[in-house]
Amino acid sequence: MLPKSLPSSPKSQPFKISDTKTKTSLIAILKSLFSFQNPRAWILFTVLFIQILLFFNLRSFPTSISPPHHQFLTHLAVIQTAATQNATLLDSDSDSTLSLTTTTTEDEEQCAFGRVFVYDLPKFFNQEILDNCDNLNPWSSRCDAMSNDGLGQSATGLAGIIPENLLPAWYWTDQFVSEIIFHNRILNHKCRTLEAESAAAFYIPFYAGLAVGKYLWMNTSTAKDRDHHCEMMLTWLQEQPHYKNSNGWDHFITMGRITWDFRRSKDEDWGSSCIYKPGLRNITRLLIERNPWDYFDVGVPYPTGFHPGSSSDVTLWQSFVRDRRRNSLFCFAGAPRRAFKNDFRAILLNQCRDSGGSCRTVDCGGSRCANGTAAITETFLDSDFCLQPRGDSFTRRSIFDCMIAGSIPVFFWQRTAYLQYQDFLPDEPGSYSVYIDRNAVKNGTSVVKTVLESYTKEEVKKMREKVIEYIPRLVYAKHNKGIEGIKDAFDYAIDGVLTRFKEQLQPEFHKWK
């Protein structure tokens, strides 16, 4: 309630613009400030004029509408503070004002498709999983693999194979750590927002792959064990208001394994049934191998050992692999699957051995090639082409190890790359890779060496150049803020998610239930 009256003050005449003394003062101010050469004076004059009006007129307002004295002082203080801040800006070089406006505009342009809100999940779903890295698989500790924000231990074993000044950019990175990499990066993303109401996309930092990994190889694990973390996460998520608003259509998650590890149909089968849970149905999923017939699966590159810390790291590496002298026509890093009848890998190894020295092999029996080795890197660097048959599933990390080394991949299944990583690879498959019909290889009508020898040196050079051009899209930066001036695999993935979410808002987009 307003007071009936304010304490009396010394009598004064109400301020009138017509007063001669006042006119003289204002004219003096205008003469000293206003100039077409100094447009910033308009702002200063306006602020000053408002203060004068308020100071004199508010004193003569009827008491019935006058604010209490402390409120008046507060309003005056706010105006004075604003004036001071404006004066400070005006006193600085005019370029700074322009720079501020430009920066804001650039920021808006960079986030034209919207901003991302990151859920603050209970630590049980991410940090506590990392804290228990000793127990992430049944055989040995994975703490080394989880170190350095998921990049793993420094790859000191590559000394002498790659340039010394690029060694700090190389790590023994595990292929299943994309959940950690994406979480750390998105917390520092330029389009992240702390206000959920302003978000166009919502990220769920749940380490689904790491959570289920330990149970995949334990004979004693049950379906309930493999689904436990996922079910608890969905219980939490379905209570969140923004999830309820969209039913998950503007939510996304990184699941750091292949999609088939989360698609268990029956309790006795392999993996988790997380993707089949109703709460996850409409959530976009970033996976190192996708189901090409599921709209919500998005394929992203496997993490490799190369993590550039700057744009110069990228350009130096591209120059290195471009200028590298390659002594082998093609190579194959892998191991046969002797348990399989007519194993395709065994056929390729036989053709490699029969190539008369045109092919190099790396025996990856057991776990000798897990997460990369110096021998693999050197072999890819020395070969024009690298054979990429399917692995345990349709994709392999080796695809990306090969291309980062500037070697041209040779595929035998469409689903190994062409139907997987559309946002990261060139639109035209023949511009950067070779496709050979596996059935023709099996029945002996196609010999790998003969096919690859049919490409001229100029054609090989052109294909290699396309591979080298796309290297930035295939790697994850060393630092959590990315690489200044260059988009890496993470940046392209997030851009892709925001683009699809914007497309989903268009009237012509059909949402199914």
Side-chain angles (χ1 to χ4, degrees):
M1 181 180 296
L2 296 176
K4 293 182 178 179
S5 62
L6 291 172
S8 60
S9 56
K11 291 183 179 180
S12 59
Q13 294 298 320
F15 172 76
K16 296 180 181 178
I17 298 297
S18 58
D19 290 351
T20 303
K21 187 175 181 179
T22 303
K23 278 184 177 181
T24 304
S25 299
L26 286 175
I27 290 169
I29 292 171
L30 283 170
K31 284 183 177 180
S32 63
L33 290 178
F34 179 73
S35 168
F36 287 108
Q37 303 298 322
N38 184 19
R40 291 174 293 167
W42 284 101
I43 299 173
L44 189 59
F45 168 72
T46 302
V47 173
L48 216 59
F49 187 73
I50 291 171
Q51 285 190 82
I52 294 169
L53 285 175
L54 283 172
F55 182 76
F56 287 99
N57 280 302
L58 284 175
R59 292 176 58 189
S60 61
F61 280 169
T63 58
S64 60
I65 62 170
S66 296
H69 192 58
H70 71 277
Q71 290 183 348
F72 169 75
L73 292 177
T74 300
H75 291 310
L76 186 59
V78 169
I79 293 169
Q80 289 173 331
T81 301
T84 303
Q85 291 173 342
N86 277 289
T88 302
L89 285 172
L90 291 169
D91 287 341
S92 63
D93 190 275
S94 59
D95 288 344
S96 65
T97 304
L98 179 62
S99 175
L100 181 62
T101 305
T102 303
T103 302
T104 303
T105 303
E106 288 177 352
D107 186 56
E108 290 173 353
E109 290 176 354
Q110 288 177 337
C111 302
F113 284 158
R115 299 186 178 275
V116 181
F117 179 79
V118 183
Y119 279 115
D120 185 16
L121 275 181
K123 296 187 183 301
F124 172 80
F125 298 110
N126 41 56
Q127 187 58 50
E128 287 185 13
I129 294 173
L130 294 185
D131 292 342
N132 289 288
C133 55
D134 280 325
N135 301 313
L136 289 181
N137 75 33
W139 304 293
S140 60
S141 170
R142 295 194 68 199
C143 293
D144 284 349
M146 304 297 108
S147 62
N148 289 321
D149 288 339
L151 304 187
Q153 299 292 295
S154 297
T156 53
L158 293 177
I161 297 174
I162 65 174
E164 184 178 354
N165 59 343
L166 285 171
L167 273 175
W170 281 84
Y171 295 80
W172 298 129
T173 303
D174 189 275
Q175 63 180 332
F176 299 128
V177 295
S178 57
E179 294 156 346
I180 306 172
I181 293 173
F182 271 77
H183 188 192
N184 288 330
R185 286 289 300 280
I186 206 161
L187 290 175
N188 295 278
H189 194 257
K190 62 182 181 295
C191 295
R192 182 193 175 194
T193 178
L194 300 179
E195 299 174 356
E197 292 74 17
S198 66
F202 296 81
Y203 184 68
I204 308 163
F206 168 44
Y207 297 171
L210 295 178
V212 76
K214 66 178 292 186
Y215 299 109
L216 295 177
W217 311 102
M218 294 173 60
N219 293 330
T220 57
S221 71
T222 64
K224 185 176 181 180
D225 292 331
R226 285 171 271 154
D227 291 345
H228 177 61
H229 280 80
C230 181
E231 288 177 345
M232 290 188 66
M233 184 277 293
L234 290 174
T235 298
W236 182 91
L237 182 65
Q238 288 169 318
E239 293 300 316
Q240 307 309 307
H242 294 282
Y243 176 88
K244 292 179 180 179
N245 289 342
S246 68
N247 199 25
W249 274 91
D250 53 7
H251 286 53
F252 69 110
I253 186 174
T254 306
M255 304 178 81
R257 302 186 67 92
I258 63 174
T259 190
W260 315 107
D261 289 342
F262 306 100
R263 292 180 178 269
R264 190 192 71 243
S265 298
K266 297 181 292 186
D267 284 357
E268 60 271 22
D269 289 344
W270 169 270
S272 154
S273 63
C274 192
I275 284 178
Y276 290 143
K277 302 291 183 186
L280 206 72
R281 178 62 269 171
N282 298 329
I283 294 174
T284 294
R285 305 174 289 268
L286 307 181
L287 301 132
I288 52 178
E289 178 175 326
R290 66 186 287 255
N291 176 356
W293 296 278
D294 188 333
Y295 166 80
F296 295 96
D297 274 11
V298 175
V300 298
Y302 280 73
T304 66
F306 182 42
H307 301 282
S310 64
S311 58
S312 63
D313 282 352
V314 175
T315 54
L316 284 172
W317 179 256
Q318 287 174 313
S319 296
F320 172 67
V321 298
R322 180 182 292 112
D323 299 337
R324 178 81 175 190
R325 181 176 179 179
R326 298 173 190 265
N327 300 313
S328 299
L329 177 64
F330 64 108
C331 66
F332 176 59
R337 299 291 193 266
R338 303 188 190 282
F340 295 95
K341 185 179 180 180
N342 299 322
D343 174 40
F344 188 70
R345 289 186 175 203
I347 295 173
L348 293 180
L349 284 169
N350 288 335
Q351 288 205 11
C352 200
R353 282 192 291 266
D354 296 339
S355 68
S358 296
C359 179
R360 289 183 59 172
T361 62
V362 178
D363 184 359
C364 290
S367 60
R368 279 176 287 186
C369 295
N371 302 320
T373 66
I376 289 178
T377 304
E378 188 172 26
T379 298
F380 288 155
L381 286 170
D382 286 346
S383 305
D384 283 327
F385 299 93
C386 57
L387 307 185
Q388 295 298 334
R390 60 171 290 174
D392 294 327
S393 60
F394 285 98
T395 64
R396 310 173 73 203
R397 167 183 159 150
S398 179
I399 299 166
F400 301 98
D401 290 331
C402 153
M403 294 182 69
I404 287 168
S407 190
I408 300 162
V410 181
F411 299 120
F412 305 90
W413 277 265
Q414 297 281 345
R415 290 172 65 179
T416 298
Y418 304 148
L419 301 181
Q420 289 290 337
Y421 311 106
Q422 290 94 332
D423 290 340
F424 306 91
L425 297 175
D427 292 333
E428 176 49 54
S431 67
Y432 74 96
S433 68
V434 174
Y435 181 78
I436 302 177
D437 183 355
R438 63 186 177 280
N439 293 314
V441 175
K442 287 180 180 179
N443 63 30
T445 58
S446 181
V447 177
V448 172
K449 178 184 176 183
T450 303
V451 173
L452 299 181
E453 282 180 332
S454 68
Y455 287 88
T456 66
K457 288 185 177 180
E458 189 57 37
E459 288 173 325
V460 171
K461 181 180 179 181
K462 187 176 180 180
M463 293 166 73
R464 175 172 297 114
E465 193 57 44
K466 180 61 71 173
V467 169
I468 293 170
E469 176 190 339
Y470 273 71
I471 286 176
R473 296 182 183 226
L474 310 180
V475 299
Y476 295 95
K478 179 177 183 177
H479 303 300
N480 288 335
K481 290 190 176 181
I483 305 170
E484 182 69 30
I486 291 182
K487 288 185 177 183
D488 68 348
F490 169 84
D491 292 316
Y492 278 99
I494 300 304
D495 287 352
V497 168
L498 291 171
T499 300
R500 71 159 37 201
F501 285 179
K502 189 162 188 176
E503 291 172 350
Q504 288 170 186
L505 297 175
Q506 302 308 309
E508 61 272 18
F509 186 86
H510 174 67
K511 289 185 179 180
W512 58 94
K513 299 295 183 182

